[in-house]
Amino acid sequence: MSDLSGGGTVEEANKIRQVINKRDLPASVRSFKLEFGADSTGDPAVTIWLIVDDDPNPPKRVLDQTTRFVRETESELMQLGLRHWPFIRFSPASEAKLYFGETDAAPQRFA
Amino acid sequence: MPLPKDLLDQATRLLSHEKKKPKQASIRRAVSTAYYAAFHLLASESAKRMAPTLPKKLGLQVQRAFEHGAMKAVCKSFAGGTLPSFIGHLQSGSIEPDLQKLASHFVKLQEARHAADYDLVHTLTKQEAEDNIDKAKEIFAIWKTISKLPHSNVFLMSLALPQIGRWRKE
């Protein structure tokens, strides 16, 4: 039964949050937001928006760190067998407030 | 495989084209190009196994029959580690984790391509482009190591002929 907008469930959202919250967010990621809905072909999907610093050209170290985080998170999310297929996307912080309002988690950061 | 590899290289170049602030056009084309690199890699590998070498361009003609939506449905199934019961008899043991990862990356790249080409509401960041190019590179690297597996043969034939597993077409 869906109890979140976009057809998501609290249970699914909590599972996703657990996977993300147990990791340190990369330095460039401030927080995240979940958005349930459909993908481009209408299949159930959940987009995990990573809210990132407004840096148009982050250094390679930051890019590598973020890519590693995404890869590990995606891998674990796939193991959950969620009904909504998980996609991870990025949103610059300056736009995030406009689209998402308050985001889901207080940031955990490492240097 | 000159075209798929050239597309992959081009995606990387597009992202480093502007040194200080990459243009949205460059970032979006980089993501789109990364997807098509993966698409053409899998389509050409599949056609290579299906089509006789003569006439010379038969394989290229076969590649035109691939459908993005159907390929996505097949990839979702492989990424989840299970095949439809209709072709379950072709599965021997678990689907290899690397094949699952490749299939999962393909689904994500396809969605990223769609966002890059059509979703102009959200600014596409360099991180997102980098992440997707990295996925495409992983697909190429993984494919080198799994291309001869029996399950990879089933995978390639399913991409070309999704009817064999009764995958739905989009």
Side-chain angles (χ1 to χ4, degrees):
Chain A
M1 193 178 96
S2 70
D3 37 24
L4 296 174
S5 65
T9 63
V10 170
E11 188 190 355
E12 270 186 305
N14 285 341
K15 282 182 181 174
I16 295 168
R17 286 195 185 99
Q18 274 174 14
V19 167
I20 298 172
N21 283 331
K22 76 180 181 190
R23 293 189 159 73
D24 287 332
L25 292 177
S28 62
V29 179
R30 298 185 178 189
S31 57
F32 67 92
K33 178 80 179 174
L34 306 184
E35 186 178 47
F36 287 91
D39 67 13
S40 60
T41 55
D43 293 336
V46 53
T47 304
I48 297 134
W49 289 97
L50 299 180
I51 316 302
V52 296
D53 293 337
D54 282 88
D55 182 353
N57 199 8
K60 187 171 184 314
R61 177 184 58 81
V62 171
L63 295 174
D64 289 347
Q65 198 180 60
T66 313
T67 297
R68 197 163 55 244
F69 171 82
V70 169
R71 204 64 75 251
E72 289 169 2
T73 304
E74 282 177 335
S75 174
E76 195 166 341
L77 289 173
M78 288 304 296
Q79 303 300 320
L80 296 178
L82 300 167
R83 193 174 76 82
H84 291 77
W85 186 279
F87 295 99
I88 296 182
R89 294 202 56 194
F90 297 74
S91 180
S94 60
E95 290 182 8
K97 188 123 188 158
L98 176 67
Y99 299 127
F100 308 121
E102 293 305 316
T103 50
D104 281 58
Q108 292 176 280
R109 304 170 75 112
F110 60 83
Chain B
M1 52 172 168
L3 179 65
K5 182 65 170 65
D6 285 352
L7 287 170
L8 186 61
D9 293 343
Q10 187 177 54
T12 306
R13 280 199 304 278
L14 280 165
L15 204 54
S16 55
H17 185 58
E18 291 99 12
K19 295 295 175 201
K20 289 187 177 170
K21 186 180 178 186
K23 291 179 179 173
Q24 276 295 291
S26 300
I27 291 176
R28 288 174 185 277
R29 292 315 304 155
V31 171
S32 187
T33 304
Y35 167 68
Y36 279 106
F39 171 85
H40 284 295
L41 170 71
L42 297 177
S44 62
E45 288 292 306
S46 181
K48 220 185 286 176
R49 293 183 199 198
M50 289 176 68
T53 51
L54 293 174
K56 203 176 168 188
K57 291 195 174 180
L58 179 57
L60 297 176
Q61 194 67 38
V62 167
Q63 286 186 50
R64 295 201 60 183
F66 286 76
E67 295 180 1
H68 298 279
M71 289 173 79
K72 178 183 153 195
V74 169
C75 283
K76 274 191 165 183
S77 182
F78 275 81
T82 53
L83 303 182
S85 56
F86 190 63
I87 57 166
H89 64 97
L90 298 176
Q91 186 173 347
S92 56
S94 306
I95 301 292
E96 291 75 7
D98 274 348
L99 181 53
Q100 288 187 42
K101 187 197 271 190
L102 181 151
S104 170
H105 280 2
F106 187 85
V107 173
K108 286 166 179 151
L109 270 176
Q110 189 180 108
E111 192 65 14
R113 200 285 302 178
H114 195 272
D117 285 349
Y118 302 115
D119 175 11
L120 304 184
V121 172
H122 297 281
T123 298
L124 216 60
T125 65
K126 189 172 179 181
Q127 281 111 310
E128 190 158 342
E130 182 78 17
D131 173 50
N132 283 296
I133 291 171
D134 187 73
K135 281 189 175 84
K137 286 179 179 171
E138 269 200 81
I139 285 178
F140 277 69
I142 290 171
W143 185 249
K144 276 187 187 169
T145 67
I146 65 165
S147 64
K148 293 186 168 57
L149 295 175
H151 285 155
S152 297
N153 286 332
V154 180
F155 177 63
L156 287 182
M157 293 306 107
S158 301
L159 292 177
L161 302 165
Q163 300 91 330
I164 68 171
R166 296 187 177 172
W167 276 284
R168 67 192 168 89
K169 290 192 175 187
E170 306 290 344

